[in-house]
């Protein structure tokens, strides 16, 4: 199941209004895990972090133009994805910044307000 919230009228993209153990509140929709792009939010079913692969974030990699950076919210605590995941994105010219999901949501808002070309993948907190 995919839920989408388009915010074409807002240059900053979708805004995470609240974060808790039950997910991320974006607009009036709650997402357990979410992919964020400048144009919307998509429900995401991520694998365990240790198994994360390039294909798991395919919608972010399909953006045109591609993002310069992907923020990876690793859940309740900062953790790092497999080196193969980072290497695959770097080979595409895309940076990866891993942090806890709360920090990634805050960083998303800050960088989008600066007009940066980014995307985010936020894993569940709880």
């Amino acid at each position: 199941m995919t839920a989408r919230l388009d915010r074409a009228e807002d240059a900053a993209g979708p805004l995470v209004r609240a974060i808790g153990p039950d997910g991320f509140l974006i607009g009036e929709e709650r997402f357990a895990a979410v992919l964020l792009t400048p144009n919307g939010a998509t429900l995401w079913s991520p694998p365990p972090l240790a198994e994360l692969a390039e294909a798991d974030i395919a919608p972010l990699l399909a953006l045109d133009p591609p993002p310069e950076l992907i923020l990876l919210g690793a859940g309740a605590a900062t953790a790092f994805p497999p080196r193969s995941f980072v290497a695959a994105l770097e080979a595409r010219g895309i940076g990866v910044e891993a942090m806890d999901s709360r920090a990634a949501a805050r960083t998303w808002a800050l960088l989008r307000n600066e007009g940066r070309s980014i995307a985010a993948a936020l894993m569940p907190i709880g």
Side-chain angles (χ1 to χ4, degrees), residues 46-122:
L49 183 62
E51 297 172 18
L52 189 64
E54 190 177 8
D56 295 313
I57 60 163
L60 303 182
L61 300 177
L63 292 171
D64 186 23
E68 63 185 81
L69 177 69
I70 292 179
L71 300 171
L72 177 62
T78 298
F80 298 97
R83 181 70 193 132
S84 59
F85 174 80
V86 175
L89 270 62
E90 288 175 345
R92 291 173 172 258
I94 301 171
V96 178
E97 285 295 329
M99 57 195 77
D100 70 77
S101 291
R102 284 182 174 88
R106 289 189 304 270
T107 303
W108 161 263
L110 177 72
L111 294 179
R112 282 301 303 149
N113 282 331
E114 292 177 356
R116 299 274 304 271
S117 174
I118 62 168
L122 306 179

